[in-house]
Amino acid sequence: MGLLENKFKDSLITTTVDSLINWGQEKAMYPLLLGTACCGIEMMAVGYSRFDVLERFGMLFRFSPRQSDVMIVAGTVTKKMAPVIKAVYDQMSEPKYVIAVGSCAISGNIYKSYSTLQGLDRIVPVDVYVPGCPPIPEAFAYGIIELQKVIASRRVIRKQPTEADPGAQPRTNVHEILRPGHIKLPTAQDYAAHLDDEITGQEQGGLLESGRRRD
Amino acid sequence: MPIQESLQVVVKKLQDKFGDSILSTQEFRDEVTVRFKPEVWVEAHRFLKEDEDCAFNMMIDETAADYPLRTERFDVITHLLSLGKAHRIRIKTQTAEHIPTLYSVWKTANWLERETYDLFGIIFDGHPDLRRILLTEDWEGFPLRKDYPIEGYDI
């Protein structure tokens, strides 16, 4: 796309070509399944014939990132899974979109813990958020319609270099996904000092038994 | 309500055999907890497995608990079940960091001890393959210790 940037202005021909390209893409999005937790069950229900949300939008589940346009991340993303999701995202070809399904994928939900990623958008750009715990299939369908609107409003051959585009996101190495190891951790001395403070406080309160840790 | 007879036999046998190495014996809601000194940790478990009146042939769980203000801050806890006698027991000991492995008694201790190492940082001496099992291999710190921040280190 870089060759086209800033070459074309809005005109009858360019807008028509753009809308044609967008129309083709928004009617045939191939989603990549990433059911990382319980929302994945809801995603399966969405795919089957009772709700039939996906195929009516021309979506067909693919199981390879190289064949997919849309990554649907349904469920809690753990810090152990985060590098995998980032790697899968990087393997998808442009243009690519991400739907975060469920409160956990959006913000971590109640899992504000050491092991859970606090929001999918910390590792990949997210286009549509579908809230819910889990979201009902109708909400899922609404999210897909919203994504179609995102695609429909895209400028393809009229693209301006300043426009935000998922392809223009700075790429980070998969292995640079921040793990606890990349943040300065309190050392053992810090812990010990912290404990000393606590112990001193309790001693003054007269609550401490003998033989507690002091080093 | 007294505890079941087969367990009374077990407790009696343990007291006869280990005597001073038993720090306490508790009974709460039909559950028996025996606290050993760490020196007899493996020996006690082997006795519990192999003695015909104890016959604890299944290890249900091996885990730990953290009491950060103690000098020997960790309780190492095992739950045992006898399928033949249908009784259960809980065994505890405490340690600062090291405890001998129970892998030689029950093979299932392998992964249970890896998990305990992973989350508490307790070193099981003699364990054949003491690596992290749940967290990523480059994880720093041990999340279930009380001095680890409950929300972790955010990314």
Side-chain angles (χ1 to χ4, degrees), chain A residues 30-61:
Chain A
Y30 280 5
L32 171 68
L33 289 172
L34 265 174
T36 48
C38 35
C39 282
I41 303 291
E42 198 70 11
M43 183 169 65
M44 293 171 212
V46 159
Y48 289 139
S49 50
R50 173 163 181 164
F51 299 103
D52 193 32
V53 169
L54 294 181
E55 286 193 24
R56 76 175 68 176
F57 294 113
M59 299 173 87
L60 189 61
F61 282 142

PDB file of all heavy atoms in Angstrom, chain A residues 30-61:
ATOM      1  N   TYR A  30     -12.495 -13.723   6.838  1.00  0.00           N
ATOM      2  CA  TYR A  30     -12.216 -15.055   7.377  1.00  0.00           C
ATOM      3  C   TYR A  30     -11.655 -14.902   8.778  1.00  0.00           C
ATOM      4  O   TYR A  30     -10.552 -14.396   8.958  1.00  0.00           O
ATOM      5  CB  TYR A  30     -11.222 -15.798   6.490  1.00  0.00           C
ATOM      6  CG  TYR A  30     -11.843 -16.408   5.265  1.00  0.00           C
ATOM      7  CD1 TYR A  30     -13.181 -16.199   4.947  1.00  0.00           C
ATOM      8  CD2 TYR A  30     -11.092 -17.211   4.430  1.00  0.00           C
ATOM      9  CE1 TYR A  30     -13.744 -16.762   3.828  1.00  0.00           C
ATOM     10  CE2 TYR A  30     -11.654 -17.777   3.307  1.00  0.00           C
ATOM     11  CZ  TYR A  30     -12.972 -17.548   3.008  1.00  0.00           C
ATOM     12  OH  TYR A  30     -13.523 -18.106   1.902  1.00  0.00           O
ATOM     13  N   PRO A  31     -12.410 -15.321   9.776  1.00  0.00           N
ATOM     14  CA  PRO A  31     -11.911 -15.154  11.147  1.00  0.00           C
ATOM     15  C   PRO A  31     -10.992 -16.293  11.563  1.00  0.00           C
ATOM     16  O   PRO A  31     -11.163 -17.437  11.163  1.00  0.00           O
ATOM     17  CB  PRO A  31     -13.186 -15.160  11.981  1.00  0.00           C
ATOM     18  CG  PRO A  31     -14.136 -15.989  11.208  1.00  0.00           C
ATOM     19  CD  PRO A  31     -13.774 -15.850   9.757  1.00  0.00           C
ATOM     20  N   LEU A  32     -10.028 -15.923  12.380  1.00  0.00           N
ATOM     21  CA  LEU A  32      -9.146 -16.910  12.992  1.00  0.00           C
ATOM     22  C   LEU A  32      -9.666 -17.172  14.402  1.00  0.00           C
ATOM     23  O   LEU A  32      -9.892 -16.248  15.167  1.00  0.00           O
ATOM     24  CB  LEU A  32      -7.727 -16.366  13.055  1.00  0.00           C
ATOM     25  CG  LEU A  32      -6.726 -17.183  13.861  1.00  0.00           C
ATOM     26  CD1 LEU A  32      -6.453 -18.495  13.181  1.00  0.00           C
ATOM     27  CD2 LEU A  32      -5.452 -16.413  14.032  1.00  0.00           C
ATOM     28  N   LEU A  33      -9.854 -18.437  14.719  1.00  0.00           N
ATOM     29  CA  LEU A  33     -10.389 -18.783  16.032  1.00  0.00           C
ATOM     30  C   LEU A  33      -9.306 -18.710  17.078  1.00  0.00           C
ATOM     31  O   LEU A  33      -8.298 -19.383  16.958  1.00  0.00           O
ATOM     32  CB  LEU A  33     -10.925 -20.206  16.017  1.00  0.00           C
ATOM     33  CG  LEU A  33     -12.192 -20.441  15.249  1.00  0.00           C
ATOM     34  CD1 LEU A  33     -12.438 -21.914  15.183  1.00  0.00           C
ATOM     35  CD2 LEU A  33     -13.324 -19.750  15.924  1.00  0.00           C
ATOM     36  N   LEU A  34      -9.532 -17.913  18.079  1.00  0.00           N
ATOM     37  CA  LEU A  34      -8.636 -17.944  19.230  1.00  0.00           C
ATOM     38  C   LEU A  34      -9.498 -17.970  20.482  1.00  0.00           C
ATOM     39  O   LEU A  34      -9.619 -16.972  21.178  1.00  0.00           O
ATOM     40  CB  LEU A  34      -7.706 -16.744  19.234  1.00  0.00           C
ATOM     41  CG  LEU A  34      -6.342 -16.968  18.608  1.00  0.00           C
ATOM     42  CD1 LEU A  34      -5.578 -15.680  18.545  1.00  0.00           C
ATOM     43  CD2 LEU A  34      -5.575 -18.011  19.356  1.00  0.00           C
ATOM     44  N   GLY A  35     -10.123 -19.083  20.730  1.00  0.00           N
ATOM     45  CA  GLY A  35     -10.930 -19.217  21.943  1.00  0.00           C
ATOM     46  C   GLY A  35     -10.021 -19.518  23.110  1.00  0.00           C
ATOM     47  O   GLY A  35      -9.664 -20.654  23.352  1.00  0.00           O
ATOM     48  N   THR A  36      -9.596 -18.463  23.815  1.00  0.00           N
ATOM     49  CA  THR A  36      -8.613 -18.666  24.866  1.00  0.00           C
ATOM     50  C   THR A  36      -9.247 -19.087  26.184  1.00  0.00           C
ATOM     51  O   THR A  36      -8.534 -19.466  27.090  1.00  0.00           O
ATOM     52  CB  THR A  36      -7.789 -17.392  25.088  1.00  0.00           C
ATOM     53  OG1 THR A  36      -8.681 -16.298  25.188  1.00  0.00           O
ATOM     54  CG2 THR A  36      -6.858 -17.164  23.934  1.00  0.00           C
ATOM     55  N   ALA A  37     -10.552 -18.949  26.324  1.00  0.00           N
ATOM     56  CA  ALA A  37     -11.189 -19.366  27.585  1.00  0.00           C
ATOM     57  C   ALA A  37     -12.673 -19.595  27.311  1.00  0.00           C
ATOM     58  O   ALA A  37     -13.058 -19.937  26.190  1.00  0.00           O
ATOM     59  CB  ALA A  37     -10.973 -18.333  28.677  1.00  0.00           C
ATOM     60  N   CYS A  38     -13.501 -19.347  28.322  1.00  0.00           N
ATOM     61  CA  CYS A  38     -14.895 -19.769  28.250  1.00  0.00           C
ATOM     62  C   CYS A  38     -15.685 -19.021  27.172  1.00  0.00           C
ATOM     63  O   CYS A  38     -16.664 -19.561  26.651  1.00  0.00           O
ATOM     64  CB  CYS A  38     -15.557 -19.615  29.599  1.00  0.00           C
ATOM     65  SG  CYS A  38     -14.998 -18.213  30.545  1.00  0.00           S
ATOM     66  N   CYS A  39     -15.304 -17.800  26.814  1.00  0.00           N
ATOM     67  CA  CYS A  39     -15.996 -17.110  25.722  1.00  0.00           C
ATOM     68  C   CYS A  39     -15.857 -17.887  24.420  1.00  0.00           C
ATOM     69  O   CYS A  39     -16.643 -17.698  23.491  1.00  0.00           O
ATOM     70  CB  CYS A  39     -15.453 -15.697  25.536  1.00  0.00           C
ATOM     71  SG  CYS A  39     -16.061 -14.532  26.740  1.00  0.00           S
ATOM     72  N   GLY A  40     -14.853 -18.752  24.348  1.00  0.00           N
ATOM     73  CA  GLY A  40     -14.699 -19.582  23.161  1.00  0.00           C
ATOM     74  C   GLY A  40     -15.908 -20.477  22.931  1.00  0.00           C
ATOM     75  O   GLY A  40     -16.281 -20.752  21.781  1.00  0.00           O
ATOM     76  N   ILE A  41     -16.545 -20.903  24.020  1.00  0.00           N
ATOM     77  CA  ILE A  41     -17.753 -21.721  23.896  1.00  0.00           C
ATOM     78  C   ILE A  41     -18.853 -20.900  23.232  1.00  0.00           C
ATOM     79  O   ILE A  41     -19.596 -21.379  22.365  1.00  0.00           O
ATOM     80  CB  ILE A  41     -18.201 -22.209  25.285  1.00  0.00           C
ATOM     81  CG1 ILE A  41     -17.089 -22.981  25.957  1.00  0.00           C
ATOM     82  CG2 ILE A  41     -19.456 -23.039  25.184  1.00  0.00           C
ATOM     83  CD1 ILE A  41     -16.775 -24.303  25.331  1.00  0.00           C
ATOM     84  N   GLU A  42     -18.944 -19.631  23.661  1.00  0.00           N
ATOM     85  CA  GLU A  42     -19.966 -18.771  23.067  1.00  0.00           C
ATOM     86  C   GLU A  42     -19.657 -18.524  21.592  1.00  0.00           C
ATOM     87  O   GLU A  42     -20.553 -18.444  20.761  1.00  0.00           O
ATOM     88  CB  GLU A  42     -20.012 -17.448  23.839  1.00  0.00           C
ATOM     89  CG  GLU A  42     -21.266 -16.639  23.635  1.00  0.00           C
ATOM     90  CD  GLU A  42     -22.475 -17.290  24.288  1.00  0.00           C
ATOM     91  OE1 GLU A  42     -22.292 -18.251  25.063  1.00  0.00           O
ATOM     92  OE2 GLU A  42     -23.596 -16.852  24.007  1.00  0.00           O
ATOM     93  N   MET A  43     -18.387 -18.440  21.285  1.00  0.00           N
ATOM     94  CA  MET A  43     -18.006 -18.239  19.886  1.00  0.00           C
ATOM     95  C   MET A  43     -18.411 -19.442  19.038  1.00  0.00           C
ATOM     96  O   MET A  43     -18.836 -19.288  17.892  1.00  0.00           O
ATOM     97  CB  MET A  43     -16.490 -18.019  19.804  1.00  0.00           C
ATOM     98  CG  MET A  43     -15.977 -17.733  18.419  1.00  0.00           C
ATOM     99  SD  MET A  43     -14.283 -17.179  18.441  1.00  0.00           S
ATOM    100  CE  MET A  43     -13.445 -18.622  19.036  1.00  0.00           C
ATOM    101  N   MET A  44     -18.312 -20.633  19.629  1.00  0.00           N
ATOM    102  CA  MET A  44     -18.754 -21.818  18.888  1.00  0.00           C
ATOM    103  C   MET A  44     -20.259 -21.774  18.652  1.00  0.00           C
ATOM    104  O   MET A  44     -20.734 -22.090  17.554  1.00  0.00           O
ATOM    105  CB  MET A  44     -18.400 -23.081  19.672  1.00  0.00           C
ATOM    106  CG  MET A  44     -16.929 -23.340  19.781  1.00  0.00           C
ATOM    107  SD  MET A  44     -16.664 -24.686  20.947  1.00  0.00           S
ATOM    108  CE  MET A  44     -15.123 -24.217  21.635  1.00  0.00           C
ATOM    109  N   ALA A  45     -21.000 -21.369  19.678  1.00  0.00           N
ATOM    110  CA  ALA A  45     -22.441 -21.251  19.505  1.00  0.00           C
ATOM    111  C   ALA A  45     -22.765 -20.252  18.398  1.00  0.00           C
ATOM    112  O   ALA A  45     -23.675 -20.458  17.596  1.00  0.00           O
ATOM    113  CB  ALA A  45     -23.091 -20.807  20.821  1.00  0.00           C
ATOM    114  N   VAL A  46     -21.981 -19.194  18.357  1.00  0.00           N
ATOM    115  CA  VAL A  46     -22.179 -18.184  17.321  1.00  0.00           C
ATOM    116  C   VAL A  46     -21.958 -18.782  15.929  1.00  0.00           C
ATOM    117  O   VAL A  46     -22.634 -18.446  14.974  1.00  0.00           O
ATOM    118  CB  VAL A  46     -21.217 -17.000  17.598  1.00  0.00           C
ATOM    119  CG1 VAL A  46     -20.985 -16.188  16.356  1.00  0.00           C
ATOM    120  CG2 VAL A  46     -21.759 -16.131  18.698  1.00  0.00           C
ATOM    121  N   GLY A  47     -21.031 -19.705  15.849  1.00  0.00           N
ATOM    122  CA  GLY A  47     -20.720 -20.252  14.537  1.00  0.00           C
ATOM    123  C   GLY A  47     -21.716 -21.289  14.058  1.00  0.00           C
ATOM    124  O   GLY A  47     -21.828 -21.513  12.864  1.00  0.00           O
ATOM    125  N   TYR A  48     -22.438 -21.908  14.998  1.00  0.00           N
ATOM    126  CA  TYR A  48     -23.307 -22.995  14.585  1.00  0.00           C
ATOM    127  C   TYR A  48     -24.660 -22.489  14.114  1.00  0.00           C
ATOM    128  O   TYR A  48     -24.974 -21.306  14.197  1.00  0.00           O
ATOM    129  CB  TYR A  48     -23.468 -24.014  15.717  1.00  0.00           C
ATOM    130  CG  TYR A  48     -22.203 -24.808  15.934  1.00  0.00           C
ATOM    131  CD1 TYR A  48     -21.758 -25.110  17.215  1.00  0.00           C
ATOM    132  CD2 TYR A  48     -21.453 -25.254  14.858  1.00  0.00           C
ATOM    133  CE1 TYR A  48     -20.598 -25.834  17.408  1.00  0.00           C
ATOM    134  CE2 TYR A  48     -20.305 -25.978  15.050  1.00  0.00           C
ATOM    135  CZ  TYR A  48     -19.875 -26.265  16.319  1.00  0.00           C
ATOM    136  OH  TYR A  48     -18.729 -26.972  16.505  1.00  0.00           O
ATOM    137  N   SER A  49     -25.488 -23.448  13.664  1.00  0.00           N
ATOM    138  CA  SER A  49     -26.666 -23.059  12.883  1.00  0.00           C
ATOM    139  C   SER A  49     -27.772 -22.404  13.712  1.00  0.00           C
ATOM    140  O   SER A  49     -28.622 -21.732  13.155  1.00  0.00           O
ATOM    141  CB  SER A  49     -27.224 -24.278  12.168  1.00  0.00           C
ATOM    142  OG  SER A  49     -27.381 -25.330  13.086  1.00  0.00           O
ATOM    143  N   ARG A  50     -27.786 -22.593  15.034  1.00  0.00           N
ATOM    144  CA  ARG A  50     -28.880 -21.989  15.786  1.00  0.00           C
ATOM    145  C   ARG A  50     -28.854 -20.464  15.665  1.00  0.00           C
ATOM    146  O   ARG A  50     -29.877 -19.825  15.439  1.00  0.00           O
ATOM    147  CB  ARG A  50     -28.795 -22.380  17.258  1.00  0.00           C
ATOM    148  CG  ARG A  50     -29.812 -21.634  18.075  1.00  0.00           C
ATOM    149  CD  ARG A  50     -30.064 -22.234  19.412  1.00  0.00           C
ATOM    150  NE  ARG A  50     -31.075 -21.458  20.104  1.00  0.00           N
ATOM    151  CZ  ARG A  50     -31.726 -21.879  21.156  1.00  0.00           C
ATOM    152  NH1 ARG A  50     -31.504 -23.062  21.634  1.00  0.00           N
ATOM    153  NH2 ARG A  50     -32.611 -21.104  21.729  1.00  0.00           N
ATOM    154  N   PHE A  51     -27.707 -19.896  15.842  1.00  0.00           N
ATOM    155  CA  PHE A  51     -27.600 -18.437  15.692  1.00  0.00           C
ATOM    156  C   PHE A  51     -27.066 -18.074  14.309  1.00  0.00           C
ATOM    157  O   PHE A  51     -27.457 -17.071  13.748  1.00  0.00           O
ATOM    158  CB  PHE A  51     -26.701 -17.859  16.785  1.00  0.00           C
ATOM    159  CG  PHE A  51     -27.230 -18.105  18.157  1.00  0.00           C
ATOM    160  CD1 PHE A  51     -26.688 -19.086  18.960  1.00  0.00           C
ATOM    161  CD2 PHE A  51     -28.293 -17.366  18.635  1.00  0.00           C
ATOM    162  CE1 PHE A  51     -27.189 -19.322  20.222  1.00  0.00           C
ATOM    163  CE2 PHE A  51     -28.797 -17.596  19.900  1.00  0.00           C
ATOM    164  CZ  PHE A  51     -28.254 -18.582  20.691  1.00  0.00           C
ATOM    165  N   ASP A  52     -26.151 -18.865  13.809  1.00  0.00           N
ATOM    166  CA  ASP A  52     -25.649 -18.691  12.455  1.00  0.00           C
ATOM    167  C   ASP A  52     -25.200 -17.265  12.189  1.00  0.00           C
ATOM    168  O   ASP A  52     -25.567 -16.638  11.216  1.00  0.00           O
ATOM    169  CB  ASP A  52     -26.730 -19.120  11.453  1.00  0.00           C
ATOM    170  CG  ASP A  52     -26.125 -19.245  10.053  1.00  0.00           C
ATOM    171  OD1 ASP A  52     -24.942 -19.607   9.970  1.00  0.00           O
ATOM    172  OD2 ASP A  52     -26.830 -18.979   9.080  1.00  0.00           O
ATOM    173  N   VAL A  53     -24.424 -16.743  13.122  1.00  0.00           N
ATOM    174  CA  VAL A  53     -24.023 -15.346  12.994  1.00  0.00           C
ATOM    175  C   VAL A  53     -22.948 -15.181  11.931  1.00  0.00           C
ATOM    176  O   VAL A  53     -22.946 -14.229  11.165  1.00  0.00           O
ATOM    177  CB  VAL A  53     -23.537 -14.821  14.358  1.00  0.00           C
ATOM    178  CG1 VAL A  53     -22.868 -13.481  14.199  1.00  0.00           C
ATOM    179  CG2 VAL A  53     -24.697 -14.740  15.311  1.00  0.00           C
ATOM    180  N   LEU A  54     -22.035 -16.146  11.878  1.00  0.00           N
ATOM    181  CA  LEU A  54     -20.858 -15.900  11.063  1.00  0.00           C
ATOM    182  C   LEU A  54     -21.126 -16.087   9.567  1.00  0.00           C
ATOM    183  O   LEU A  54     -20.765 -15.247   8.753  1.00  0.00           O
ATOM    184  CB  LEU A  54     -19.717 -16.812  11.511  1.00  0.00           C
ATOM    185  CG  LEU A  54     -19.204 -16.499  12.924  1.00  0.00           C
ATOM    186  CD1 LEU A  54     -18.076 -17.413  13.293  1.00  0.00           C
ATOM    187  CD2 LEU A  54     -18.765 -15.064  13.043  1.00  0.00           C
ATOM    188  N   GLU A  55     -21.743 -17.202   9.224  1.00  0.00           N
ATOM    189  CA  GLU A  55     -21.837 -17.476   7.795  1.00  0.00           C
ATOM    190  C   GLU A  55     -22.774 -16.528   7.081  1.00  0.00           C
ATOM    191  O   GLU A  55     -22.664 -16.330   5.874  1.00  0.00           O
ATOM    192  CB  GLU A  55     -22.234 -18.938   7.566  1.00  0.00           C
ATOM    193  CG  GLU A  55     -21.044 -19.850   7.855  1.00  0.00           C
ATOM    194  CD  GLU A  55     -21.259 -21.261   7.359  1.00  0.00           C
ATOM    195  OE1 GLU A  55     -22.065 -21.446   6.434  1.00  0.00           O
ATOM    196  OE2 GLU A  55     -20.636 -22.161   7.922  1.00  0.00           O
ATOM    197  N   ARG A  56     -23.700 -15.975   7.809  1.00  0.00           N
ATOM    198  CA  ARG A  56     -24.559 -15.002   7.129  1.00  0.00           C
ATOM    199  C   ARG A  56     -23.798 -13.729   6.778  1.00  0.00           C
ATOM    200  O   ARG A  56     -24.232 -12.947   5.952  1.00  0.00           O
ATOM    201  CB  ARG A  56     -25.786 -14.668   7.974  1.00  0.00           C
ATOM    202  CG  ARG A  56     -25.500 -13.752   9.112  1.00  0.00           C
ATOM    203  CD  ARG A  56     -26.749 -13.360   9.824  1.00  0.00           C
ATOM    204  NE  ARG A  56     -27.340 -14.497  10.529  1.00  0.00           N
ATOM    205  CZ  ARG A  56     -28.404 -14.390  11.301  1.00  0.00           C
ATOM    206  NH1 ARG A  56     -28.998 -13.226  11.436  1.00  0.00           N
ATOM    207  NH2 ARG A  56     -28.887 -15.427  11.932  1.00  0.00           N
ATOM    208  N   PHE A  57     -22.668 -13.516   7.415  1.00  0.00           N
ATOM    209  CA  PHE A  57     -21.811 -12.399   7.040  1.00  0.00           C
ATOM    210  C   PHE A  57     -20.674 -12.850   6.125  1.00  0.00           C
ATOM    211  O   PHE A  57     -19.690 -12.140   5.967  1.00  0.00           O
ATOM    212  CB  PHE A  57     -21.222 -11.734   8.283  1.00  0.00           C
ATOM    213  CG  PHE A  57     -22.253 -11.076   9.138  1.00  0.00           C
ATOM    214  CD1 PHE A  57     -22.545 -11.560  10.404  1.00  0.00           C
ATOM    215  CD2 PHE A  57     -22.958  -9.978   8.668  1.00  0.00           C
ATOM    216  CE1 PHE A  57     -23.499 -10.958  11.187  1.00  0.00           C
ATOM    217  CE2 PHE A  57     -23.912  -9.375   9.452  1.00  0.00           C
ATOM    218  CZ  PHE A  57     -24.193  -9.869  10.708  1.00  0.00           C
ATOM    219  N   GLY A  58     -20.789 -14.048   5.607  1.00  0.00           N
ATOM    220  CA  GLY A  58     -19.745 -14.538   4.717  1.00  0.00           C
ATOM    221  C   GLY A  58     -18.462 -14.882   5.425  1.00  0.00           C
ATOM    222  O   GLY A  58     -17.390 -14.841   4.836  1.00  0.00           O
ATOM    223  N   MET A  59     -18.560 -15.199   6.707  1.00  0.00           N
ATOM    224  CA  MET A  59     -17.350 -15.527   7.454  1.00  0.00           C
ATOM    225  C   MET A  59     -17.234 -17.037   7.574  1.00  0.00           C
ATOM    226  O   MET A  59     -18.193 -17.737   7.855  1.00  0.00           O
ATOM    227  CB  MET A  59     -17.390 -14.891   8.841  1.00  0.00           C
ATOM    228  CG  MET A  59     -17.459 -13.387   8.796  1.00  0.00           C
ATOM    229  SD  MET A  59     -17.695 -12.663  10.401  1.00  0.00           S
ATOM    230  CE  MET A  59     -16.044 -12.511  10.973  1.00  0.00           C
ATOM    231  N   LEU A  60     -16.039 -17.511   7.402  1.00  0.00           N
ATOM    232  CA  LEU A  60     -15.792 -18.942   7.491  1.00  0.00           C
ATOM    233  C   LEU A  60     -14.584 -19.129   8.394  1.00  0.00           C
ATOM    234  O   LEU A  60     -13.553 -18.508   8.179  1.00  0.00           O
ATOM    235  CB  LEU A  60     -15.514 -19.484   6.091  1.00  0.00           C
ATOM    236  CG  LEU A  60     -15.425 -20.978   5.906  1.00  0.00           C
ATOM    237  CD1 LEU A  60     -16.748 -21.621   6.281  1.00  0.00           C
ATOM    238  CD2 LEU A  60     -15.070 -21.296   4.461  1.00  0.00           C
ATOM    239  N   PHE A  61     -14.755 -19.942   9.431  1.00  0.00           N
ATOM    240  CA  PHE A  61     -13.649 -20.156  10.359  1.00  0.00           C
ATOM    241  C   PHE A  61     -12.433 -20.701   9.630  1.00  0.00           C
ATOM    242  O   PHE A  61     -12.523 -21.661   8.876  1.00  0.00           O
ATOM    243  CB  PHE A  61     -14.050 -21.154  11.438  1.00  0.00           C
ATOM    244  CG  PHE A  61     -14.904 -20.559  12.517  1.00  0.00           C
ATOM    245  CD1 PHE A  61     -15.939 -21.286  13.075  1.00  0.00           C
ATOM    246  CD2 PHE A  61     -14.675 -19.286  12.978  1.00  0.00           C
ATOM    247  CE1 PHE A  61     -16.720 -20.747  14.068  1.00  0.00           C
ATOM    248  CE2 PHE A  61     -15.449 -18.742  13.974  1.00  0.00           C
ATOM    249  CZ  PHE A  61     -16.475 -19.476  14.518  1.00  0.00           C
TER     250      PHE A  61
END
